[in-house]
């Protein structure tokens, strides 16, 4: 999970961006199980268990996928998202403006005849209060992950984007946090 636009201004829409740091494409749908990866933690009407990625979903090597709260073609048009970047959705419901625990899960086969297991790929519990960056709470910027390989639940690893509306399907606009120096 590389970017979260959870409380956009009126000119933007919610989205969640996923980044693949690997050198090969990763399938986000297990054909053998007939199940897609799931994003849990979305506030959804009717208590549905989250958003499941559709058949054929994948994320390119060192590339992005955007999960949109609106129709993917409309999201692509409104945000100038390049055609080679997959946009999936709408995920329905909404991201909680006060904070939420998001978990990205992938299905794994278990013993024959048993339900598949769900393996945690990434998680983040963001908030609209300090120590989380409060500028991403309704002011236009998204919440961007500084170190894509860093711990997702560390507020210091997240910051507000430097662009209103965020940077969906593009490199994040903020850099890593300053190094931890020895006291003088």
């Amino acid at each position: 999970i590389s970017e979260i636009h959870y409380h956009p201004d009126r000119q933007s829409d919610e989205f969640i961006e996923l980044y693949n740091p690997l050198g090969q494409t990763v399938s986000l749908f297990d054909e053998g199980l007939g199940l897609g990866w799931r994003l849990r933690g979305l506030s959804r009407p009717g208590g549905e268990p989250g958003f499941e990625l559709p058949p054929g979903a994948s994320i390119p090597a060192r590339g992005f996928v955007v999960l949109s709260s609106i129709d993917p073609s409309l999201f692509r048009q409104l945000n100038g998202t390049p055609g080679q970047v997959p946009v999936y959705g709408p995920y329905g419901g909404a991201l909680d403006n006060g904070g939420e625990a998001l978990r990205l899960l992938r299905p794994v086969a278990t013993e024959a005849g048993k339900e598949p297991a769900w393996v945690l790929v990434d998680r983040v519990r963001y908030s609209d209060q300090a120590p989380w960056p409060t500028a991403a709470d309704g002011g236009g910027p998204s919440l961007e992950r500084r170190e894509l390989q860093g711990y997702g639940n560390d507020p210091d690893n997240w910051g507000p984007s430097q662009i209103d509306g965020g940077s969906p399907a593009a490199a994040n606009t903020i850099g890593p946090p300053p190094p931890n120096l020895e006291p003088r």
Side-chain angles (χ1 to χ4, degrees), residues 16-30:
I16 300 165
E17 177 190 81
L18 307 178
Y19 175 73
N20 174 9
L22 303 176
Q24 69 266 1
T25 297
V26 172
S27 176
L28 300 174
F29 190 86
D30 187 309

Side-chain angles (χ1 to χ4, degrees), residues 54-132:
S58 65
I59 185 168
R62 294 182 185 85
F64 301 96
V65 161
V66 177
L67 308 180
S68 170
S69 65
I70 62 173
D71 179 82
S73 58
L74 180 58
F75 182 89
R76 188 179 299 284
Q77 178 185 351
L78 292 173
N79 291 282
T81 308
Q84 71 271 19
V85 176
V87 179
Y88 300 108
Y91 52 71
L95 293 167
D96 191 313
N97 292 342
E100 195 147 29
L102 298 175
R103 296 172 318 197
L104 182 63
L105 307 164
R106 72 176 174 85
V108 175
T110 57
E111 296 178 35
K114 292 197 174 188
E115 292 289 318
W118 292 91
V119 175
L120 182 66
V121 176
D122 196 9
R123 71 177 179 169
V124 59
R125 182 177 182 92
Y126 69 87
S127 177
D128 66 342
Q129 297 178 10
W132 285 87

